[in-house]
Amino acid sequence: MKTRLIWIIMAIMISAMTASAQKTDISNRDNVIYVENATANPGEQIILSVQMNNTLAVRGFQFDLLLPDGITVATDEDDFLMVELSTARTTEKKMNYFDTETLEDGSLRVLCNSSKAYTFDGNSGEVCTITVNVASGLGGDFDINLNNVVLTDPDAERYPIDGSQSVISVKEKDCDCGILGDLNKDGKISVADVMLLVKMVLAN
């Protein structure tokens, strides 16, 4: 009986782990730009990390960010959008063009380029950050879409690539329940939670 219960629990936990993973499977893609999954509380301001994995030498990129209703790009005290180049893989001098543009459909276009053909260091990591405001009445999981993604190589040749989809999980208002299935309270659902649950079942 306990064995069957363990298998049922493990199936539920694995399903939860899959649900909390990146919506777009980036594991088999040589070149991809995506937003890391994020969690937030209603009424909170958070920073989204935009990552790039690339085998291509990249001197520039563009993408269109489409956010769900209730989540908007924040502005600073001078009313500029809070979208910034990350220096994790480059410098502002090397990537000397970085700009944003709001499109007719509400998407935010982000453009980055090196006029001197410098390329991003390495093959993976953060390339920019986007600060967003989460509406106070929001709760649940919401899709973040990156569309119209283009990479540019040192010769200024453009390479359109597939877009990606990620998730912002907004905790329900007045809920202090954490992540369902996160038994060891480390902020994520993993094999460690499955093993802990198995131990709990066997102990009873």
Side-chain angles (χ1 to χ4, degrees), residues 12 14 22 41 56 61 64 75 80-81 96 100 105 111 124 126-128 142 152 181 190-191 204:
I12 294 171
I14 290 170
Q22 202 77 30
N41 294 309
L56 179 75
F61 63 79
D64 298 343
T75 55
F80 289 108
L81 294 174
N96 58 336
T100 60
D105 66 354
L111 300 158
S124 66
E126 186 178 78
V127 290
C128 72
F142 300 89
T152 307
S190 66
V191 175
N204 294 325

Side-chain angles (χ1 to χ4, degrees), residues 64-115:
D64 298 343
L65 170 73
L66 182 61
L67 293 171
D69 292 339
I71 299 177
T72 56
V73 179
T75 55
D76 61 18
E77 61 274 10
D78 296 315
D79 207 31
F80 289 108
L81 294 174
M82 296 175 68
V83 183
E84 298 181 357
L85 175 71
S86 172
T87 56
R89 298 182 58 188
T90 189
T91 66
E92 291 182 0
K93 286 185 178 180
K94 289 180 178 180
M95 293 295 157
N96 58 336
Y97 181 83
F98 187 83
D99 202 5
T100 60
E101 175 188 0
T102 302
L103 305 180
E104 289 185 2
D105 66 354
S107 296
L108 177 72
R109 175 162 294 175
V110 178
L111 300 158
C112 175
N113 187 57
S114 170
S115 63

Side-chain angles (χ1 to χ4, degrees), residues 20-35:
S20 64
Q22 202 77 30
K23 271 211 164 184
T24 297
D25 181 9
I26 61 172
S27 62
N28 60 352
R29 291 171 61 174
D30 291 334
N31 298 288
V32 61
I33 294 182
Y34 66 96
V35 178

